[in-house]
């Protein structure tokens, strides 16, 4: 039994909002205003930053400006992976030394527990379950990469990571053709929209002003410009991730990379018994065009991967609507991983954009000469990284304003990292389309060859893209 396109809820922001309901939209900005800190973007980065700043300095006047509603972007559409990965760690090791990158990794490990602790303390019910992250290999080449990956993570101090063979992997989750896996405890499943909505409510209750339906068109020192007025503040913090290209002068700063997801109907007890997955780990793989999945609190599988990776001119989607070919590709991927689910209905499909810097490195920055700050470029690892970025922005602002000195967070190697802009069109579009076509071809060749050697095509794509 298959799934026809008419059976699928396509878009509507994401399954997470279909499940939990869209929030009531807060009023827009009503005219010119002033604040001590203005935050542009009401996703995880902006909301966490407002939370930590207000907690540290309750007297601060903080305004959040959001063009749709809080959690409209990647924060309400992601795969729900709260885990310890951070984009750019290896590059930071090369630039600042291995020990600096180890400190960054330790901070990310701690961040997973920080999010869980704050959600508990603030009463945010986000379906959190700390089952860790299981990344599987399904071909000889993937297994070789997995073993290298596992050893690499150990070198950054992650001594509680475990390497499994085929039998041990199957005892956790029954993935077809799995020949091995690597598991870390530093990961949790969550419901993205519940976290975004809960965090926005907590921040507002603390006294932070949130204006939704308020697009910021330009950021300049001490000014956030909107069609309804300008908010003036000594600090203007850009927290716009995949939508950064819509701001004046930021078209080539971060590339809005598209990622797509599907969610199945709830599985039966018998189907879950066949799959295992009792630990509710988040699940990924070692393919070049990788997938990510979770077992949701209501017993579905939510699975994602790259569909149409990039829209010409840094375009973004229309409320998450997804091409039918992408939905079918993700459904095929689901069945390849779990053949017993061939008859399961796909209930929902959606897409969103994530921010990708030219060197694929997440960053957090405060320019002390202008008061302009920003954080992002998470390359899909933002659910936890946003929290670390927000605490770092808090410390940078407090240091600049004389409220505190440098902290361990402000000394991390991703702070104040700068990178060149992306190429202009059509080079940008051609490059990204070619890169992902090459990765998909590399995955097909590895599956067909049964060789333990990674495809040379993937190594070429890595070099061209700037990922390595």
């Amino acid at each position: 039994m298959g799934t026809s396109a008419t059976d699928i809820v396509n878009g509507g922001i994401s399954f997470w909002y279909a499940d939990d309901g869209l929030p009531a939209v807060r009023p827009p900005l009503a005219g010119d205003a002033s604040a001590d800190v203005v935050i542009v973007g009401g996703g995880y980065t902006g909301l966490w930053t407002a939370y930590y700043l207000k907690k540290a300095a309750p007297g601060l006047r903080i305004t959040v400006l959001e063009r749709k509603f809080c959690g409209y972007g990647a924060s309400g559409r992601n795969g729900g992976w709260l885990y310890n990965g951070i984009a750019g760690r290896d590059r930071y090791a090369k630039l600042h030394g291995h020990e600096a990158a180890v400190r960054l990794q330790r901070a990310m490990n701690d961040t997973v527990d920080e999010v869980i602790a704050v959600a508990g303390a603030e009463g945010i019910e986000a379906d959190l379950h700390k089952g860790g992250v299981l990344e599987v290999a399904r071909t000889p080449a993937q297994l070789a990469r997995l073993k290298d990956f596992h050893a690499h993570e150990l070198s950054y101090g992650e001594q509680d990571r475990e390497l499994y063979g085929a039998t041990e992997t199957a005892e956790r989750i029954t993935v077809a053709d799995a020949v091995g896996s690597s598991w870390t405890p530093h990961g949790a499943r969550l419901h993205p929209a519940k976290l975004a909505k809960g965090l926005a409510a907590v921040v507002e209750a603390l006294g932070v002003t949130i204006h939704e339906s308020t697009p910021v068109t330009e950021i300049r020192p001490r000014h956030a410009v909107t069609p309804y007025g300008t908010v003036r503040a000594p600090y203007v913090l850009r927290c716009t991730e995949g939508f950064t290209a819509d701001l004046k002068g930021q078209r080539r700063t971060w590339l809005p990379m598209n990622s797509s997801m599907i969610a199945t109907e709830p599985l039966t007890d018998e189907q879950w018994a066949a799959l295992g997955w009792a630990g509710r780990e988040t699940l990924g793989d070692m393919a070049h065009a990788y997938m990510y999945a979770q077992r949701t609190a209501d017993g579905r599988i939510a699975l994602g991967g790259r569909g149409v990776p990039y829209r010409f001119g840094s375009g973004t989607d229309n409320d998450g609507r997804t091409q039918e070919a992408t939905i079918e590709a993700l459904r095929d991927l689901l069945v390849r991983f779990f053949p017993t689910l061939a008859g399961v209905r796909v209930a929902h499909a959606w897409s969103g954009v994530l921010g990708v810097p030219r060197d694929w490195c997440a960053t957090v920055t405060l320019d002390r000469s202008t008061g302009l700050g920003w954080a992002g470029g998470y390359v899909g690892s933002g659910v936890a990284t946003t929290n670390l970025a927000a605490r770092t922005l808090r410390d940078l602002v407090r240091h600049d304003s004389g409220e505190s000195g440098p902290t361990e967070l402000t000394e991390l190697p991703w702070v104040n990292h700068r990178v060149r802009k992306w190429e202009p069109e059509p080079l940008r579009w051609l490059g990204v389309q070619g890169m992902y076509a090459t990765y998909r071809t590399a995955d097909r060749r590895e599956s067909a060859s049964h060789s333990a050697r990674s495809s040379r095509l993937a190594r070429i794509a890595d070099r061209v893209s700037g990922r390595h």
Side-chain angles (χ1 to χ4, degrees):
M1 181 178 70
T3 304
S4 72
T6 56
D7 294 331
I8 300 171
V9 178
N10 188 347
I13 316 301
S14 70
F15 159 73
W16 310 116
Y17 284 113
D19 177 56
D20 197 56
L22 291 171
V25 179
R26 297 170 176 86
L29 182 70
D32 290 345
S34 64
D36 298 313
V37 180
V38 60
I39 296 169
V40 180
Y44 292 156
T45 306
L47 293 173
W48 279 125
T49 301
Y51 174 82
Y52 286 110
L53 275 170
K54 195 68 171 175
K55 281 285 196 177
L60 277 181
R61 296 175 303 138
I62 302 172
T63 296
V64 176
L65 302 176
E66 164 55 45
R67 79 174 187 177
K68 293 281 192 174
F69 59 81
C70 289
Y72 171 82
S75 298
R77 309 189 199 192
N78 62 80
W81 275 46
L82 177 72
Y83 86 119
N84 66 340
I86 183 167
R89 183 195 61 189
D90 289 354
R91 190 178 295 271
Y92 289 129
K94 293 177 183 177
L95 291 173
H96 301 278
H98 183 74
E99 183 52 39
V102 169
R103 288 190 286 108
L104 181 60
Q105 185 59 65
R106 286 177 182 151
M108 281 304 308
N109 296 349
D110 293 343
T111 295
V112 174
D113 292 326
E114 169 73 8
V115 172
I116 294 170
V118 173
E122 299 291 356
I124 299 173
E125 296 291 339
D127 298 341
L128 277 155
H129 182 90
K130 191 181 180 185
V133 183
L134 187 75
E135 294 176 272
V136 301
R138 299 176 62 242
T139 68
Q142 287 187 21
L143 182 60
R145 284 199 298 277
L146 177 84
K147 291 177 178 177
D148 288 344
F149 164 75
H150 181 85
H152 200 54
E153 297 307 296
L154 294 182
S155 76
Y156 283 99
E158 202 176 331
Q159 298 304 314
D160 44 6
R161 178 175 283 274
E162 298 176 6
L163 184 66
Y164 301 140
T167 301
E168 295 164 302
T169 301
E171 288 171 355
R172 282 186 172 265
I173 308 176
T174 306
V175 174
D177 303 320
V179 290
S181 62
S182 179
W183 176 81
T184 176
H186 301 293
R189 173 210 72 191
L190 59 73
H191 187 300
K194 288 182 179 179
L195 178 60
K197 290 162 70 173
L199 193 54
V202 167
V203 163
E204 197 167 42
L206 288 173
V208 171
T209 300
I210 301 176
H211 292 297
E212 297 179 325
S213 301
T214 304
V216 172
T217 56
E218 182 182 2
I219 293 172
R220 58 178 187 263
R222 292 171 288 282
H223 296 76
V225 181
T226 85
Y228 313 122
T230 296
V231 182
R232 292 170 174 81
Y235 298 100
V236 182
L237 307 180
R238 189 186 81 220
C239 303
T240 47
E241 191 57 357
F243 295 94
T244 299
D246 293 338
L247 291 164
K248 182 178 180 180
Q250 302 294 333
R251 176 71 66 184
R252 293 164 53 197
T253 299
W254 290 335
L255 184 140
M257 185 76 75
N258 193 61
S259 198
S260 301
M261 294 196 70
I262 57 172
T264 68
E265 63 186 344
L267 304 188
T268 65
D269 291 342
E270 293 76 18
Q271 287 169 324
W272 281 121
L275 296 183
W277 215 334
R280 290 163 174 76
E281 305 90 340
T282 56
L283 175 67
D285 74 346
M286 299 304 294
H288 301 293
Y290 54 86
M291 61 79 74
Y292 51 95
Q294 68 149 285
R295 175 177 177 170
T296 68
D298 65 346
R300 305 168 190 264
I301 294 177
L303 178 148
R306 296 289 181 265
V308 176
Y310 172 71
R311 292 176 170 86
F312 189 88
S314 292
T316 55
D317 61 85
N318 180 25
D319 287 348
R321 188 160 183 84
T322 301
Q323 290 188 345
E324 288 184 21
T326 298
I327 298 172
E328 194 57 38
L330 291 174
R331 178 182 167 74
D332 288 347
L333 186 61
L334 172 76
V335 175
R336 286 204 302 275
F337 268 68
F338 307 114
T340 60
L341 301 185
V344 166
R345 185 173 72 88
V346 172
H348 209 123
W350 70 101
S351 296
V353 291
L354 48 99
V356 180
R358 188 63 184 86
D359 65 352
W360 300 69
C361 290
T363 57
V364 56
T365 297
L366 180 66
D367 185 335
R368 301 185 71 176
S369 67
T370 63
L372 297 179
W374 57 89
Y378 306 121
V379 196
S381 298
V383 179
T385 315
T386 50
N387 179 277
L388 179 61
R391 286 183 284 130
T392 306
L393 276 175
R394 171 202 61 193
D395 289 0
L396 289 169
V397 168
R398 286 177 57 75
H399 180 212
D400 184 72
S401 61
E403 297 298 317
S404 72
T407 68
E408 290 183 3
L409 298 186
T410 62
E411 300 302 311
L412 290 174
W414 70 326
V415 173
N416 294 329
H417 175 75
R418 302 295 180 103
V419 64
R420 67 183 174 91
K421 293 180 180 293
W422 282 88
E423 292 79 1
E425 298 290 20
L427 296 177
R428 190 159 71 241
W429 184 87
L430 290 169
V432 177
Q433 298 295 327
M435 177 181 68
Y436 274 97
T438 302
Y439 283 140
R440 285 190 287 266
T441 300
D443 285 329
R444 286 194 298 269
R445 289 189 178 182
E446 288 178 3
S447 295
S449 73
H450 304 294
S451 169
R453 184 175 175 80
S454 291
S455 170
R456 193 167 71 89
L457 285 175
R459 296 196 297 274
I460 293 171
D462 282 344
R463 285 197 295 272
V464 171
S465 69
R467 294 176 76 170
H468 296 291

